[in-house]
Amino acid sequence: MAERATGEVKDVLKRIEDHENVVGVIIVDKDGQAIHSTLDAMETSYYIQHCSTLTAIARSTIRETDPTDDIQFFRIRTKKFEIMLAPERDYLLIVLQNIKTAGKFP
Amino acid sequence: MAERATGEVKDVLKRIEDHENVVGVIIVDKDGQAIHSTLDAMETSYYIQHCSTLTAIARSTIRETDPTDDIQFFRIRTKKFEIMLAPERDYLLIVLQNIKTAGKFP
């Protein structure tokens, strides 16, 4: 069963990474360690640090108003690219995509 | 000219606020003061405080990698609603919408 799940995760990751606009994919575990990254070590640790902080603050913002609510997805559009964060229970998925061809936003 | 601009801003605000899913609209000036809000005082100051912190951290995250880049838009989707942040030079626009009918994301 675990092998099949890992295979599925790899397929999904491959599809994200093969997307023409995607320039970086990072998966972080609960301890802040990179499980997977297409970026170099310095960029990987940089994005882990900042995206984990953003996620933690956003989560506390939401939970303070409604403890039954939680974050599902996060998109930060800048002039040059887009950071997408998908915080799950055991990991955080970070996807960086450039926006030359990324389509309309928001 | 200023009157026409204010009129236009009011029209845009009205359209946002009349949108069926929108449950809150706040405009914050550079000093963190609410210029406009459809929420009560407590909720307004709560969202100003947290959304300003999120914007500041996201902005420093972006600027550290590329000082010529800057944030344009921010979307945080939770199980129950969506926070949209549009940081401009002189103000921050915060829009809260519930997601029962808000459409597909991301």
Side-chain angles (χ1 to χ4, degrees):
Chain A
M1 182 47 201
E3 252 143 64
R4 218 188 73 211
T6 327
E8 276 164 27
V9 168
K10 279 187 182 157
D11 290 345
V12 169
L13 265 182
K14 183 119 183 30
R15 275 208 314 273
I16 295 173
E17 287 164 14
D18 288 349
H19 198 283
E20 61 170 335
N21 313 318
V22 171
V23 294
V25 177
I26 306 171
I27 300 180
V28 200
D29 69 16
K30 281 189 296 190
D31 306 321
Q33 300 305 310
I35 305 171
H36 171 88
S37 179
T38 59
L39 300 177
D40 65 40
M42 211 179 80
E43 279 184 314
T44 298
S45 75
Y46 175 82
Y47 281 109
I48 288 177
Q49 180 203 339
H50 288 279
C51 294
S52 306
T53 305
L54 277 173
T55 305
I57 289 175
R59 182 162 266 152
S60 72
T61 302
I62 306 297
R63 286 254 173 98
E64 246 178 74
T65 46
D66 178 349
T68 67
D69 199 0
D70 199 0
I71 302 178
Q72 293 190 318
F73 201 78
F74 225 97
R75 283 176 83 155
I76 304 165
R77 167 68 74 105
T78 78
K79 287 191 279 190
K80 297 183 180 179
F81 66 101
E82 196 166 46
I83 304 176
M84 289 174 278
L85 306 178
E88 294 296 333
R89 205 193 48 186
D90 297 328
Y91 63 86
L92 168 64
L93 173 65
I94 303 169
V95 177
L96 304 173
Q97 101 176 331
N98 70 43
I99 52 169
K100 264 177 251 104
T101 51
K104 211 173 72 58
F105 185 100
Chain B
M1 178 51 198
E3 252 142 65
R4 219 187 73 212
T6 322
E8 277 164 26
V9 168
K10 280 187 180 156
D11 290 347
V12 169
L13 265 183
K14 185 125 186 17
R15 276 208 312 274
I16 294 174
E17 287 164 15
D18 288 350
H19 198 283
E20 60 167 337
N21 313 318
V22 170
V23 294
V25 177
I26 306 171
I27 301 180
V28 200
D29 69 16
K30 283 189 295 190
D31 307 321
Q33 301 304 312
I35 305 170
H36 171 89
S37 179
T38 60
L39 301 177
D40 65 40
M42 214 180 80
E43 279 184 314
T44 298
S45 76
Y46 175 82
Y47 281 109
I48 288 176
Q49 180 203 339
H50 288 278
C51 294
S52 305
T53 306
L54 278 173
T55 305
I57 290 176
R59 180 163 269 153
S60 74
T61 302
I62 306 300
R63 286 257 173 95
E64 244 179 77
T65 45
D66 179 349
T68 66
D69 200 359
D70 200 0
I71 303 179
Q72 291 190 320
F73 201 79
F74 223 99
R75 279 177 87 153
I76 304 166
R77 166 70 72 106
T78 79
K79 286 191 276 189
K80 298 185 181 177
F81 65 102
E82 196 166 45
I83 304 175
M84 289 174 278
L85 306 178
E88 294 296 333
R89 203 193 48 187
D90 296 327
Y91 64 86
L92 169 63
L93 173 64
I94 304 170
V95 177
L96 304 172
Q97 89 174 341
N98 70 42
I99 53 168
K100 265 178 247 96
T101 50
K104 213 175 68 59
F105 187 100

